[in-house]
Amino acid sequence: MDEISERQDGRYPELRRLGEEERRVALELQEIRAQIASLVQQLLPHHARTEKIDDVVRVSGYSRTLIDVLRYKDHPWHRR
């Protein structure tokens, strides 16, 4: 009986579509975050000046704490 109601209820295909869309967007976000982390490491080597760090924080919109972590540590954003 559940199979019959699933076939008749149009919300199931919509739920399936939304689930697939969410998984696609999550993968896309993971890739974008890896690119951001890579750019932060490229722009801000360990000897970067405070002014340059402040510029990256301002332009990125991320906190100084996150930028520092992306510079120095193996953060989950670095993983693809």
Side-chain angles (χ1 to χ4, degrees):
M1 186 157 147
D2 284 338
E3 289 181 27
I4 294 170
S5 62
E6 183 178 328
R7 281 186 269 150
Q8 293 173 344
D9 191 335
R11 295 174 292 184
Y12 285 94
E14 179 65 4
L15 181 60
R16 181 177 295 113
R17 185 191 70 75
L18 290 172
E20 290 169 357
E21 178 73 7
E22 190 272 338
R23 286 183 287 283
R24 184 191 64 74
V25 169
L27 289 173
E28 208 173 286
L29 181 58
Q30 185 178 15
E31 178 65 30
I32 290 168
R33 286 177 170 170
Q35 291 174 7
I36 291 169
S38 177
L39 281 171
V40 167
Q41 284 189 329
Q42 291 171 33
L43 288 167
L44 300 174
H46 296 296
H47 60 277
R49 296 176 54 150
T50 302
E51 295 82 16
K52 184 144 184 165
I53 297 167
D54 292 341
D55 285 345
V56 169
V57 168
R58 182 182 47 77
V59 169
S60 70
Y62 292 111
S63 70
R64 173 68 184 258
T65 302
L66 178 60
I67 296 300
D68 283 340
V69 169
L70 292 176
R71 286 177 64 205
Y72 295 114
K73 297 182 181 168
D74 185 28
H75 189 272
W77 283 18
H78 290 286
R79 297 181 200 115
R80 290 184 182 181

